[in-house]
Amino acid sequence: MEQPPDGPIQSIAEPGVKASGPLLYSMRKEVAELLGRHQTGFPGAQPVSFARQHLDELQKQDYYVCEKSDGIRYLLYSTSDEEAREAHYLVDRKNDYWFITNRNLHFPLENNTQAFHRDTLVDGELVWDSLPNGKKEPRFLVFDCLVMDGNKLMDRTLDKRLAYFKERLYTPYKKLFKEYPDELRFQPFFVEMKPFQLAYGIEMMFKQVLPSLKHGNDGLIFTCRNTAYKHGTDPHILKWKPPEENTIDFRLKLTFPLVEPDEWERKEGITEPFIDYDSVPKSELLIFLGDSGDKYELFDDLYLTEEEWEILKSLNDPLNERIIECNQDDQGRWRLLRFRDDKHEANHKSTVVSVLESINDRVSEKDLYRAAGPIRDSWKARQARSTQVRDR
């Protein structure tokens, strides 16, 4: 989707011009080198699904909690182009790089509003915020920072990474628009820091934070304060969803039946068996095993009603091989929630196992409420011990 040269982006799924060919290859290599990695795959951390065992984990270490936005995950890469001008790319989970064509996005340095950050990579989510006037506003919510001006932050603790981001990038950015508020309307999107609470602030999350959100939400994210930023699956980032919202992303495989022509069709001259595209097809759900050997494994069937199939047919879109998000109904059948065209691949088998654990070992909102007290007591005890050690 073509984005306007000035003003807000029109799509959060296609926020700019997608890099391809040699440019995409060089961008991936550039970011890998910035991070000190040999792999050029998507470098973002991925959470694990919250299971009952994690209630104990929250008592053992310091965790922060924030809301899980219903948006699209991106890394924001700030760099300079061949003409030494400020340039920004959003990197999605498919590892595609979207160049932000609106050149008004500007992150000034602390003591120089004209200068800008280079070699900077922050982690966040692009959402649509709903305004009181009915309009929607794109917003990039930052929840981590990997590199700032070439300075690698991944080995620092989460609170230090966020504090560094706030001091060096976010505060000068907010100050700029306080001084020049008219410039806000020319921005492709607005940048905010996602607010974190201490892990025991469960009541505050459910009663204050979630009800006041301007965008969709589908759970909570608990992130360990003490651990380094980890590329790929991080067992110290815990994704909690209400039990009914625990979902799996599958690759859909449709098989249409071969049928014999009936009497009427024979009269019409159709004498050979033909593929019946009208009836509900066999719908299989595949999970991802990895790129080597057999890539997929059959997991289960998708349950589709005739009404649902009629709706899908009416979309006039390709359906076979699409990535779809599914949940289980109260009879244990897998049902289609939505297409996930923002996902390049189905969930890996390890992720599926993790989600199934969450489904079978459900942790409800009430369970989190009950755990808040012990989590707080453990946090305070650790705090007291570290104070005693410091005072010796």
Side-chain angles (χ1 to χ4, degrees), residues 76 83 110 203 219 249 286 304 313-314 368 380 391:
L76 175 59
E83 296 168 8
E110 286 174 277
E203 186 171 349
D249 298 327
L286 307 181
L304 275 178
K313 281 194 297 182
S314 71
L368 289 176
K380 300 286 187 191
D391 292 345

Side-chain angles (χ1 to χ4, degrees), residues 219-278:
L220 303 174
I221 295 283
F222 294 87
T223 307
C224 187
R225 182 181 74 86
N226 311 312
T227 51
Y229 190 96
K230 186 177 185 298
H231 310 296
T233 304
D234 185 347
H236 295 102
I237 304 177
L238 314 174
K239 175 179 65 178
W240 178 87
K241 287 186 173 186
E244 65 277 6
E245 288 188 29
N246 270 307
T247 60
I248 296 176
D249 298 327
F250 298 104
R251 190 170 288 280
L252 177 63
K253 182 184 176 187
L254 300 178
T255 307
F256 295 90
L258 193 68
V259 295
E260 295 288 338
D262 60 23
E263 186 181 341
W264 179 260
E265 286 160 338
R266 287 182 187 279
K267 285 179 183 175
E268 292 285 310
I270 303 170
T271 57
E272 297 293 322
F274 61 93
I275 296 173
D276 179 7
Y277 287 107
D278 284 327

